[in-house]
Each structure stands twice: as C-alpha cells, then as structure tokens.
Amino acid sequence: MLHLRESTFLLASNVFLALTVCDTCLWCNFRASTPAQTMWTADEIARLCYEHYRISLPKQGKPEPNREWTLLAAVVKIQPIANQTWDSPDKLVQVTKEVVSMGTGTKCIGRSKMRKNGDILNDSHAEVIAKRSFQRYLLHQLHLVAALKQDSIFVPGTQRGLWKLRPDLLFVFFSSHTPCGDASIIPMLECEDQPCCPVRTDWANNPSVEASGNLKPENKRKCEGPDSPVIKKMRLEPGISATEVTNGVAHHQSFGNQESGPIPPNVSSSNLTSGELAAVTGMTPGGARVVDVHRTGAKCVPGEAGDSRMPGVAYHLVGLLRVKPGRGDRTCSMSCSDKLARWNILGCQGALLMHFIEEPIYLSAIVIGKCPYSQEAMQRALIRRCQNVSALPKGFGVQEVKIQQSDLLFEQSRCAVQAKRADSAGRLVPCGAAISWSAVPEQPLDVTANGFPQGATKKEIRSLQARSRISKVELFRSFQKLLSSISEDKWPDSLSAIVNALLS
C-alpha cells in the first residue's frame, strides 16, 4: 500500500497538491482525502484547551475574579492512535489530542518601551504568546532528536543536518476570540445595541460606500454633532470601553485591548457571508437587519490607506494591515489577524528553526471560541487577502487552512465575566499579566507583565532572571544551546558560514 504525504502550495490563484510516495501506512493518504472534522470537532479542541487552562495553569497570572478578564490561545497536536486499520473510508480515525503550548494576554507595549537587545516581549496578546510558546516546544523537540537521539515529533530529512515533521502529525491553533484586526470587522445586527447610527444594508454589495449618504439630515446631525453620544464615546481615552453596559451585557469595544465588538456571542447570523446577506435583502433568518460592523481597536498602518470612520457599516475598510492600539504610545506590533496571515504563509517555526527543518510548519486548522464571529471575515483576513503574495522561497505558500468555530465560551472572557458580575461595583478591566506555557520538561511556565517576568524590579530588568523564556534573546539562547549540542560535521549547510558568530 502507498503512504501519501501532502504538501500544499498556492501559486497565484491555483492550488497544487504535491504528493510524495513512500511505503509504510495509509495515514497520510487519509489526511489528504478526509476532512479534519472527522478526526476532531471544534468543541473538542475548545474543551481540551479550557480544561488545560483550568488544571495545568496555576493561579498566578490569571484574572482577578469578577474584576478582570483575559483571552486564551493554544496549539494542539493531533496524532492518530497506533495500530489502527482503515478498511473503510467512512471509518473514523481515532486520534490523541495534546495541548503543546498555551498563552493568555491582552496587552502590547508601546514603541518607546521596545528594546534592541530583545529581552522584552513587545506583544503579549494571547495568540502571539501561544505561538512563541510553540516555538519553544519545537526547539525542545529538535534538541531531543538531534542531540539526545530520543523520540520526537521530527524525523530525519533528505539533506544533511535537516529534519522534517512526522507525516502523521497535525497542529490545530485555538483562540478564545476572533483575532484583533481585519478578522474582527464583522457584520452587526439590528438587534444589537449600536455604537453608531444604523445605515442601509447595501454594505454587502458596496462596503466602502459613504455611510453619511444613507442618513437623513437630522439623523446625520445627531450622529456627527459635537454633543452626540457617539462622538462622546469616541473621545474616551484608549483602554476605556466605548460602550455602555446594559442588562449585564457589554456592547462595542475596548479601544486599548484585544477583544472587540459588541459582546453577544450567540448571534448565529454573524456567520452569514455578505453574499448570503445580500441574497436576503439585508435580512437575517430571524428578521434582523445588518446595520453596522463590529469594530476593531487595531489602527491602520501609518502611511497606508485609512478607515473612513463614517457612521455605520462604512466605518472600517477591510483587508488592510493594522497595528495594535496602545495607551497614548503607538505600538509597532501588527494585529493578530495580520500575524496569523503571515504564519499561514511562512509557517510558525520562525527564521532560526528554518536552519534545521526542510519544510515550514503550518497550522492545519484554526478554531475560534464562542464570540462575535464571521466565517467570511476570517477567510478574508487569513487567506483571501494574501492570494497575490508571490516570489516566495521553495516550499512556502498561502495555505488553505481550515477555520471553524466552537460553541463553547471561555469562562474568563470579557463576556463570561461580565455576565457573572451583573450588578457588581467597579469597572471590568483586562488582566495585566500574560501566561506562557510550553510542553517542555524544564520551567514550562512563564508569567509576564509589561513584557518582563511578573514581579521583576527595575534593578533586575537587565539581569538574566528578568527575561521571559519566550523573549527573542532567550529563544536565541535556546537555539545556541541546540547548535552547541550537535557535532559540527552534522550541522546543516546554512549554518556552516556563520558558526563563529553564533558561538562567540
């Protein structure tokens, strides 16, 4: 029987499936022909991540009950159970699911706090923490197989010193909320409280139309006048939610944090594409009109096209690159939508690990928890707007990553905490700490605040103890340790010319 291993390359607008043949089992053939949902479900991935968060992560770094909220992201390894027989295409494959990295967080440092030596975490949004924790896991797995000759997720490649991922493995990325930036710009229904005056629903056919032309003169003045509720809300300082809390539910977004948009997560009509909405003349199955969009706090990249900021559905332009918001000090960190799109082209391994592996490590699927969500916006933000990316090195390409949503809500999301606290006094705020966890034997946990280990004093900032284990400099030190543990005659060719620089 043939064992087929798939690699997907996107060239221009055509997808080509490259299959290489070997002679072991049928697993990779099954992967190529069977949808991922037969091996796992979105709810199974979400449940596994929530349980890991509750059980494996300590109290340190988690939100203060009834006062703080956070976001969660993780990478889950999917692997088939050994010794299965697949005698029927309808038979479900039994798989093991393991969380190999996890991150929480909502914060991002400003440009003035960035440091050239790489000892600070610039971006502590959950998705980025989880991805950097995943890179730490990959470094450990490479060390196992290359230096210690132990079992690992990697197997020898075809070239000297290079390794490749075992063909029976998949990695699924989970996030409890839609990524900030382009993926968060999604339809808002008439039944939701509006941050802006509603406009006509022909945004599906012409989303960039000036919304002001859809308003009656008196309504336009109400929206745009200096004393209007909308303008007053927009004047709130970054980090303070431009919302009101009604009946225990928060509406609209927090400009200085990652989670955005009106909160009700159970509006199934948000999953409709713009074409489907237009087909029903702007009405959802429940009779509600699409009158606005959920907004993102991420700002357009300076010097590029910007948002119109007109009331209603034309407030944002979609498909643009954005940077994360900051409290006064502008950040240099791209939005999570942009970073996920980049990982979907270049892989999650990073430049250092590419010295040791033959192929990029791509995510097979992305699962989003229960929250405001649009399948079309996710496809647009992570795949479609990248279709014209070209001139990539061999082996790289835009991947048709599977995107699904779970119906399970993260218990410490802003929505869940807001619902629990109801009439509690005080303002609900994002948790200031970020948690990193990796499936490594030594010091798997890392809790940071403002980019440094939580509790670090100003005097300690420049010491080794005041570095996150997933900071650039510490990941580089791990790479150096890996390199020094391998005999020089087994190094990959790409490193032979820079050995002295790495070991000095």
Side-chain angles (χ1 to χ4, degrees):
M1 293 185 177
L2 296 180
H3 176 178
L4 301 179
R5 178 173 58 83
E6 69 172 14
S7 300
T8 304
F9 304 94
L10 190 70
L11 304 177
S13 60
N14 298 315
V15 177
F16 297 91
L17 190 64
L19 300 174
T20 58
V21 178
C22 56
D23 53 4
T24 50
C25 67
L26 281 175
W27 164 249
C28 287
N29 185 24
F30 188 88
R31 286 177 63 198
S33 61
T34 306
Q37 58 264 31
T38 61
M39 295 183 285
W40 50 265
T41 67
D43 282 354
E44 287 175 349
I45 296 297
R47 187 178 295 108
L48 177 68
C49 294
Y50 296 159
E51 289 177 355
H52 187 89
Y53 174 84
R54 287 195 299 268
I55 297 171
S56 300
L57 270 59
K59 184 178 179 180
Q60 182 187 8
K62 290 183 177 179
E64 181 180 330
N66 294 322
R67 181 180 173 271
E68 295 180 328
W69 57 271
T70 193
L71 299 177
L72 177 71
V75 177
V76 177
K77 181 181 72 173
I78 308 290
Q79 186 173 13
I81 296 175
N83 301 322
Q84 292 185 75
T85 57
W86 298 306
D87 49 8
S88 168
D90 297 328
K91 184 175 180 179
L92 298 184
V93 177
Q94 299 298 311
V95 298
T96 61
K97 299 179 288 292
E98 177 191 0
V99 175
V100 296
S101 76
M102 180 165 282
T104 72
T106 65
K107 300 292 185 176
C108 189
I109 67 169
R111 179 168 48 193
S112 64
K113 294 183 179 179
M114 297 175 69
R115 296 161 64 94
K116 293 181 179 179
N117 59 3
D119 63 351
I120 188 172
L121 290 178
N122 299 330
D123 189 342
S124 293
H125 281 205
E127 295 94 327
V128 178
I129 297 293
K131 185 259 191 178
R132 298 186 72 84
S133 303
F134 181 52
Q135 289 177 321
R136 189 178 177 213
Y137 165 78
L138 294 176
L139 276 166
H140 171 68
Q141 291 292 317
L142 269 174
H143 188 264
L144 285 178
V145 68
L148 304 180
K149 311 302 179 185
Q150 298 179 10
D151 287 340
S152 167
I153 64 172
F154 293 104
V155 295
T158 58
Q159 303 178 50
R160 187 190 72 167
L162 293 184
W163 305 85
K164 59 184 179 181
L165 196 64
R166 287 177 52 173
D168 61 341
L169 296 181
L170 301 174
F171 289 108
V172 176
F173 190 86
F174 173 77
S175 177
S176 63
H177 197 272
T178 50
C180 64
D182 197 58
S184 290
I185 304 174
I186 61 180
M188 182 187 296
L189 305 184
E190 185 181 41
C191 60
E192 301 175 271
D193 287 356
Q194 304 302 315
C196 299
C197 293
V199 296
R200 283 204 317 261
T201 56
D202 56 2
W203 68 276
N205 297 321
N206 188 8
S208 62
V209 66
E210 288 193 358
S212 59
N214 295 329
L215 296 174
K216 294 180 180 180
E218 62 271 22
N219 290 335
K220 180 177 178 181
R221 286 193 296 271
K222 288 179 182 178
C223 276
E224 299 178 352
D227 297 325
S228 75
V230 175
I231 298 302
K232 286 181 178 178
K233 288 180 182 180
M234 295 296 289
R235 287 174 179 167
L236 290 175
E237 64 179 3
I240 298 179
S241 176
T243 81
E244 294 179 345
V245 177
T246 309
N247 298 327
V249 178
H251 305 284
H252 198 33
Q253 58 150 348
S254 184
F255 280 50
N257 307 309
Q258 180 173 357
E259 199 162 339
S260 63
I263 292 304
N266 56 351
V267 183
S268 59
S269 299
S270 293
N271 296 334
L272 293 174
T273 66
S274 59
E276 291 169 330
L277 289 165
V280 293
T281 63
M283 303 295 288
T284 69
R289 293 185 303 142
V290 178
V291 292
D292 210 334
V293 290
H294 291 250
R295 296 180 184 171
T296 178
K299 313 299 181 185
C300 297
V301 172
E304 300 294 331
D307 293 320
S308 69
R309 294 182 177 269
M310 302 300 290
V313 298
Y315 186 88
H316 283 307
L317 292 180
V318 298
L320 303 181
L321 296 176
R322 297 174 180 272
V323 293
K324 290 167 180 167
R327 285 179 172 268
D329 188 13
R330 180 181 287 272
T331 80
C332 292
S333 297
M334 301 301 292
S335 73
C336 288
S337 292
D338 297 332
K339 291 190 175 184
L340 278 163
R342 183 178 67 190
W343 305 340
N344 196 45
I345 301 172
L346 301 179
C348 293
Q349 71 288 327
L352 289 178
L353 280 172
M354 276 307 299
H355 285 292
F356 279 103
I357 59 178
E358 282 190 341
E359 301 169 345
I361 298 176
Y362 289 114
L363 300 168
S364 295
I366 296 173
V367 174
I368 304 297
K370 190 175 184 180
C371 64
Y373 176 85
S374 165
Q375 184 74 15
E376 182 191 29
M378 289 289 294
Q379 293 280 348
R380 176 193 70 225
L382 305 189
I383 303 174
R384 289 207 310 272
R385 63 177 175 152
C386 304
Q387 296 286 351
N388 294 327
V389 174
S390 59
L392 293 167
K394 182 180 178 181
F396 293 87
V398 184
Q399 306 298 296
E400 288 293 330
V401 62
K402 298 177 177 65
I403 303 173
Q404 299 182 18
Q405 187 187 26
S406 167
D407 196 42
L408 302 180
L409 181 66
F410 179 42
E411 64 183 3
Q412 292 194 313
S413 66
R414 186 172 64 171
C415 176
V417 176
Q418 182 65 65
K420 290 179 182 177
R421 71 196 304 264
D423 299 326
S424 300
R427 188 163 59 93
L428 183 63
V429 297
C431 180
I435 304 175
S436 161
W437 181 90
S438 300
V440 298
E442 297 182 7
Q443 298 178 310
L445 191 70
D446 195 45
V447 181
T448 57
N450 299 314
F452 290 108
Q454 192 175 47
T457 64
K458 289 185 177 180
K459 184 180 292 187
E460 297 171 332
I461 287 297
R462 297 185 182 275
S463 68
L464 293 178
Q465 291 73 26
R467 292 176 177 175
S468 166
R469 298 180 186 93
I470 58 171
S471 63
K472 292 178 182 177
V473 66
E474 285 302 306
L475 288 178
F476 181 69
R477 280 165 56 88
S478 297
F479 176 79
Q480 285 182 305
K481 181 180 178 181
L482 169 65
L483 189 60
S484 63
S485 66
I486 304 172
S487 60
E488 191 170 336
D489 62 327
K490 295 183 179 179
W491 285 353
D493 294 339
S494 64
L495 290 173
S496 58
I498 54 175
V499 54
N500 292 329
L502 288 176
L503 297 179
S504 60

